[in-house]
Amino acid sequence: GLGPRLLLWLLLPLLASLGAFADDPKREVLVKEVVLDSAVVDIVYLGKTHESVLVTTKMKRLYFSTDSGKSWNETTASVDKSDRAEIQVERVIVNPTDKSVAVMQTQRRLRSTSGVGGVQGRWYPYIYITEDSGLTWRRAWGKHYGMHNWISHPTERSWALVSWWSGNCNADKVKNSEKSAEADEDADEESKVCVHRLMVTTDLGKNFLQLAEYVVQFSWGSTEAEQTNRVYFTAYRKKSGDQGRLSTWTNEVDFNHIDFSKSGRPKGNVVTDLKKGNKFLISGPYVLVARVKDEASQVVNLMVSKDGAETFKAALLPSGMGELEEKWYTVLDTSEGAVILHINNDASGIKDTGRIFVSDAEGYKFSQSLVNNVRSAHGECEFDKVVSLNGVYLSNIVVPTVQSQDQGFDNSKS
């Protein structure tokens, strides 16, 4: 038998034409049934009017439509120009400033030239870029550098921050016994230490310039602070040995930045803004940094800047509660001219809940707004902004059954 059929149902036309539907009640919605090889992982829309659609599946194949989903073709094999190449699609990232540009992260290997049944080559990470809404793709780079992240510039179409892990980062590495130039190249790369590198490209992946190594996190500056040509990043101070992923707060990581000229060249040297700044968030006019206060007890301070990282102030909780000192916290929103935080309840509170604090306009003096806000075991908070209504939020809370679990402000002071 044919087995189960995996279907993709599409309602046509797409959202772009819904306004026309409202004006013409006689028009009908077209339902299109498409048979795919496996479940859909992601749907990506490209082009000025979303006329091009890319679908990736669980089997890591790529499906492409140029007519808003009316007709489809599987295009996985046509991405790479080599007849021997075989690719598996992992994700597609659309450029926010130009919807005709997208970056595709894949795994690629070469089929053996010895015919059917021959030994297949090893899988390597490869990156492909389209500038014509998915009609054609070009290879940016690959083999030894597995892309960890790609962040497009807020306004410049061809600029992007890119990071990748280089060296031997595979703890379960298997020795390569092949005797070839490719095997020698692999052995040379795998003899190097594992490092996370931060690069910049100003030509959509044709050339790369390294900005820093042993990097933990990175981001462009914000439009609101007029710092779109600034790169913020955190990195280990010590530049030697294998780099592990940041799993605990450490005194060895600092918060830094580097500025760029309008032509895309770095201006000056890297500036360290905050020693022991491990993680950060650039949101609107605010620069929020988690700075380690005590590595042994894993306590961090939230440091806040509203002047482009020129000065920082430690976040202050309501009177009697002191500076914000926590093992972790979650920034929920900054879009209303204030910082909204979720802080996990202490041992006396209800499990899997926390308190909501709202700052003043400067972002560092906080008052308690809500208690017992629900969060998941993975740290996801049930607190959402209503996009169409300024200043309106929805939240789920747990009502305590006993006084000792009440995380209200009066109890917090005692």
Side-chain angles (χ1 to χ4, degrees), residues 2 11 42 50 71-73 75 109 121 123 130 132-133 157 203 225 227 230 249 252 296 312 319 327 345 377 383 395:
L2 295 176
L11 297 180
D42 195 14
H50 291 177
S71 59
W72 291 85
N73 292 297
T75 58
R109 70 179 178 183
W123 290 105
T130 180
D132 55 12
S133 302
R157 171 185 181 272
D203 53 14
Q227 291 184 334
R230 171 172 289 189
W249 302 117
E252 299 303 315
F312 284 89
S319 177
K327 294 187 177 181
N345 277 346
F383 185 95
S395 174

Side-chain angles (χ1 to χ4, degrees), residues 117-131:
V119 177
Q120 299 282 12
R122 293 174 59 182
W123 290 105
Y124 292 102
Y126 273 75
I127 301 301
Y128 299 85
I129 295 174
T130 180
E131 298 184 59

